[in-house]
Amino acid sequence: MKTTLARRGAIDRLGALLTLGGVAALLFLPFVVFKANRILPGDARSLWQILPSWAVLAFYTIMVLVAATALGVGSARIRLAVSMIGVAALALTIGAAGDALTPLGNMVVRVSPGTGFWVLLVCLGLMSTDAITRLRPGPGIRVLFLALFAAVAGAAFASGMLDHLSVMREYEVNASRFALEARHHVLMALGSVAAAIIVAVPAGILCHRVPRLRAGTLGTLNLIQTIPSIALFGILMVPLGALAAAAPFVTEMGIRGIGAAPAVLALFLYSLLPVVANTIVGLARVSPSTVDAARGMGLTNWQILTDIELVLAFPVILTGIRIVLVQNIGLVTVAALIGAGGFGVFVFQGINQTAIDLVLLGALPTVALAFSCALLLDALVEAINRPAR
Amino acid sequence: MIEIDALTKQYGSTTVVDRVSISIATGSITVIVGTSGSGKSTLLRMINRLVEPTSGRVVIDGSDTTTEPPHLLRRRIGYAIQGHGLFPHRSIAENIATVPRLLGWNAARIQARVDSLLNIFQLDPGEFGGKFPHQLSGGQQQRVGVARALAAEPTVLLMDEPFGALDPIIRAKAQDDLVDIQRRFGTTIVLVTHDIDEAFRLGDRVAVMSHGQVLQYDRPAVLLTRPADPFISRLTGTGDRAMKLLALTTAGEAAESGAAGGPTVAASATLRDVLSDLVWSGAPEATVVNADGTPRGRLTLAAILSHGKPS
């Protein structure tokens, strides 16, 4: 473990930057925005107007403590612990502000976190990820961190302490819809990636074996990658619509010009390039002498492919899969535009109604999902890479 | 017995191996030596059908190699290559167990064979069995490569520049070990190298290849004393050919009966080494002793020198 005690008297540069941002956020930016209803413009409130002074003092004390740690403490463990305390204090404070500003039984007022809150959250997030990076935790520990964080966040939501915040208000109204769209979102992202793996890995193997196919295949897939997602959805609506009109049984299978079919198909097409390319690169990295020895000892072609080449190429292929999974989780959001569902439904409804809280209801879980998947697959890639090589 | 009969390989209009016919005795070490592009590796790879011949045939112990599927043929023939080609994702024990597993040996038999091979190659099974190839030194990796090739008790072992990646000291040790192993198992070894010293050191018989053809196939002493082609003289070099010739005979083989004084030399030492000893010590003769230290006979300078000229 690398010891990270700062030199005596030295000021941590990142810490200085983050402190500057945090102080500016607390002094000049609104912490909470209050709206009489969800579409009226809000007005900013400072914490002193909302909370009892002991609570505000406690919050400021903790923030000063965090700043002092960011500036002067070298130990990554302490920095991580203190930044997490900061996040908890931030969550408790915004929750309390929501409670205080909402008259009992009033379902109309909206209390949103202001820009000050978000800037503080980003600063604390950067401080903690920087600390985690310095600790260089193994893949298992990182997954554990994620699970722990998810559990604490889940408990916070379940406890109701955040229920008076506007995003949670939007969630309450849309609860059943939210579960449905979450399922759509995950299914479309995972389904398109799974289909892409089934097609792209064999295609990559073929390109590896027959070099003549390589340039053409990669060129075509590259071209698809350059089409903007919304245009590709549109392009696919035409043939799928025609297909559905011509063949009723296709419609019965749920395939129509709009909806999930063109969305999943487009995501599938986008996913091909990274997986095909990484399969080719992964197989090319396998040492020719290893393959020659395997063949010379009497492994069959199939055994060489499955027991040697694919196993050795797997970490690289998995890196490709990680890229497309994270990419698709984001892109599914746009698919809501052609009626495919997913978290994008809330985003576009929110934009239409100029209800920013509804946008957040779609955007925040998308970001959380993409981040979690990236972290899980990164950990998996690293865990596989560790023993051999 | 491996009979290679008019074996030819053509790629398009290029002939890589041109009507090669040699016969390799059971239990011998045959070295195919040649410059790069001479077709030596292609010839070797046609024996286990990693390269399919354009024409001609290979007969091992009376059966034509084309009578069974190539992957089954290869499981009966050991194969070791330069840079060892170990599987990086498998442990040393798993690497060695590769062919026995393909052949469906039971776990106990595989385990026993792996342990015994690791011991023979001076690698402690407890320490090395669970390690991965990247944790071993180059010399250890090479030994595991040979152990893996011998795992299923093949009667024939093909080796393509097996010591090419080793430094000179480890290389000499690996060559000695190979000779020991060959004596121990009686394996028929066909080895390809570009190094004429290695060929003379290891080969019972040496085939010199150039442009796809075998120019001469004979005992090393014959290649030195009666080269069939100017190319062979160039390859062996004429400057120190007497010394090369002396290096082909051991003190034990050349010893005369009778007691003698002078330095003591092992029966396994080459005449070249004995000569060097005598020159260094200024003595006119040496005492040859067996491995257990009992006297074997004597060697005079004159007797040694007589071995260094073509008979």
Side-chain angles (χ1 to χ4, degrees):
Chain A
M1 187 73 53
K2 197 170 69 166
T3 51
T4 49
L5 276 173
R7 269 175 295 133
R8 191 169 286 276
I11 287 181
D12 187 279
R13 276 191 212 165
L14 179 73
L17 197 67
L18 294 179
T19 305
L20 214 61
V23 168
L26 279 173
L27 289 181
F28 304 119
L29 296 173
F31 190 82
V32 178
V33 175
F34 177 83
K35 299 182 221 172
N37 68 45
R38 74 194 279 248
I39 42 181
L40 278 179
D43 57 314
R45 299 284 167 95
S46 92
L47 282 175
W48 297 103
Q49 294 170 283
I50 311 164
L51 295 177
S53 28
W54 65 264
V56 183
L57 276 176
F59 175 68
Y60 279 129
T61 310
I62 291 173
M63 287 301 131
V64 168
L65 182 76
V66 172
T69 309
L71 287 171
V73 177
S75 159
R77 285 158 193 256
I78 295 175
R79 291 174 75 92
L80 179 61
V82 170
S83 63
M84 283 295 127
I85 291 171
V87 170
L90 199 61
L92 283 170
T93 308
I94 196 72
D99 293 346
L101 279 173
T102 309
L104 201 65
N106 186 329
M107 302 296 282
V108 181
V109 300
R110 287 286 191 272
V111 183
S112 316
T115 41
F117 170 88
W118 293 115
V119 170
L120 276 175
L121 187 64
V122 167
C123 289
L124 288 166
L126 284 174
M127 184 177 164
S128 59
T129 46
D130 170 61
I132 290 175
T133 312
R134 289 196 207 177
L135 282 172
R136 297 184 194 197
I141 302 290
R142 292 210 302 270
V143 173
L144 203 69
F145 269 142
L146 179 68
L148 207 67
F149 193 80
V152 171
F157 285 121
S159 72
M161 62 175 259
L162 300 170
D163 278 0
H164 285 123
L165 292 180
S166 53
V167 177
M168 293 306 288
R169 273 292 168 78
E170 297 292 352
Y171 169 73
E172 242 170 85
V173 177
N174 293 294
S176 62
R177 189 76 194 285
F178 186 85
L180 182 77
E181 299 303 356
R183 209 168 62 238
H184 277 163
H185 199 104
V186 171
L187 278 181
M188 279 191 283
L190 286 183
S192 56
V193 171
I197 293 170
I198 291 169
V199 173
V201 172
I205 294 168
L206 199 67
C207 286
H208 174 71
R209 288 279 159 91
V210 190
R212 266 178 306 159
L213 294 177
R214 214 170 293 167
T217 310
L218 291 178
T220 311
L221 295 178
N222 240 323
L223 196 70
I224 294 174
Q225 210 80 5
T226 61
I227 306 174
S229 54
I230 192 72
L232 188 56
F233 292 145
I235 293 168
L236 290 172
M237 283 163 71
V238 180
L240 283 173
L243 184 69
F249 72 93
V250 174
T251 318
E252 279 162 34
M253 284 161 60
I255 295 176
R256 286 173 298 139
I258 56 165
V264 171
L265 189 56
L267 295 173
F268 161 80
L269 291 173
Y270 281 133
S271 308
L272 289 177
L273 179 67
V275 182
V276 170
N278 277 44
T279 304
I280 294 174
V281 171
L283 290 174
R285 260 189 5 166
V286 178
S287 143
S289 75
T290 303
V291 176
D292 183 43
R295 180 162 290 122
M297 283 189 296
L299 275 77
T300 61
N301 284 334
W302 180 252
Q303 285 167 334
I304 292 171
L305 180 67
T306 57
D307 297 357
I308 310 293
E309 291 184 302
L310 280 182
V311 177
L312 289 173
F314 187 60
V316 183
I317 299 175
L318 199 59
T319 308
I321 292 171
R322 172 224 186 273
I323 293 170
V324 297
L325 187 57
V326 173
Q327 166 190 295
N328 284 9
I329 288 172
L331 280 177
V332 171
T333 319
V334 185
L337 273 184
I338 55 165
F343 288 131
V345 168
F346 303 118
V347 174
F348 289 111
Q349 261 179 23
I351 292 173
N352 287 339
Q353 303 171 4
T354 58
I356 199 70
D357 305 322
L358 195 52
V359 175
L360 286 179
L361 182 64
L364 291 179
T366 309
V367 172
L369 192 62
F371 180 79
S372 309
C373 283
L375 196 147
L376 280 176
L377 281 178
D378 278 341
L380 191 60
V381 169
E382 204 182 310
I384 289 170
N385 266 331
R386 272 199 173 181
R389 218 179 310 280
Chain B
M1 182 90 154
I2 305 173
E3 306 242 31
I4 293 170
D5 183 16
L7 206 57
T8 300
K9 180 64 191 181
Q10 291 171 323
Y11 291 106
S13 59
T14 318
T15 304
V16 183
V17 173
D18 190 7
R19 286 162 296 158
V20 167
S21 298
I22 55 177
S23 119
I24 293 162
T26 301
S28 69
I29 301 184
T30 294
V31 177
I32 305 169
V33 67
T35 49
S36 60
S38 61
K40 56 189 192 302
S41 282
T42 309
L43 176 61
L44 184 84
R45 293 163 72 84
M46 282 195 284
I47 298 175
N48 65 356
R49 291 175 67 194
L50 281 172
V51 173
E52 291 289 351
T54 309
S55 65
R57 56 188 201 132
V58 177
V59 179
I60 298 177
D61 296 331
S63 75
D64 193 310
T65 53
T66 54
T67 54
E68 66 181 321
H71 65 277
L72 295 181
L73 171 77
R74 288 178 206 138
R75 288 173 194 178
R76 295 195 294 115
I77 299 176
Y79 185 62
I81 56 175
Q82 175 166 15
H84 60 75
L86 294 178
F87 302 148
H89 59 304
R90 300 229 175 122
S91 72
I92 299 309
E94 287 169 334
N95 263 288
I96 296 176
T98 304
V99 183
R101 248 186 224 162
L102 289 173
L103 295 174
W105 290 16
N106 66 45
R109 187 177 170 201
I110 293 177
Q111 180 73 47
R113 180 67 179 162
V114 168
D115 287 354
S116 123
L117 277 167
L118 282 172
N119 280 321
I120 290 168
F121 282 89
Q122 299 130 45
L123 298 165
D124 177 45
E127 186 189 344
F128 287 96
K131 284 194 174 175
F132 284 88
H134 73 282
Q135 297 170 303
L136 270 57
S137 71
Q140 290 167 338
Q141 290 171 341
Q142 191 278 334
R143 277 185 271 164
V144 174
V146 179
R148 182 175 69 169
L150 291 169
E153 298 166 359
T155 54
V156 175
L157 172 60
L158 307 181
M159 308 181 92
D160 194 349
E161 301 265 8
F163 311 125
L166 302 181
D167 65 61
I169 292 173
I170 299 173
R171 190 179 174 128
K173 169 88 169 72
Q175 289 167 342
D176 289 345
D177 286 348
L178 182 70
V179 173
D180 286 346
I181 299 285
Q182 194 271 339
R183 300 238 169 86
R184 184 181 191 129
F185 294 123
T187 316
T188 309
I189 296 177
V190 185
L191 184 145
V192 160
T193 182
H194 65 273
D195 177 356
I196 190 71
D197 291 319
E198 181 166 275
F200 282 177
R201 188 171 172 139
L202 295 174
D204 293 313
R205 303 189 104 202
V206 173
V208 180
M209 276 191 85
S210 177
H211 298 106
Q213 292 180 318
V214 170
L215 300 179
Q216 191 169 11
Y217 174 49
D218 217 316
R219 288 181 295 113
V222 178
L223 295 187
L224 273 173
T225 54
R226 294 195 295 277
D229 189 283
F231 175 78
I232 295 168
S233 314
R234 284 208 302 281
L235 195 66
T236 56
T238 49
D240 64 343
R241 57 189 169 186
M243 289 303 172
K244 282 203 167 90
L245 197 53
L246 285 180
L248 293 172
T249 310
T250 64
E253 290 162 354
E256 301 157 355
S257 56
T264 308
V265 297
S268 60
T270 68
L271 291 187
R272 177 188 186 137
D273 298 337
V274 181
L275 178 64
S276 174
D277 266 6
L278 291 182
V279 171
W280 193 256
S281 63
E285 58 180 7
T287 306
V288 181
V289 296
N290 293 313
D292 56 9
T294 56
R296 170 93 154 244
R298 64 181 205 147
L299 261 178
T300 61
L301 258 182
I304 293 171
L305 294 183
S306 73
H307 278 91
K309 18 178 231 232
S311 43

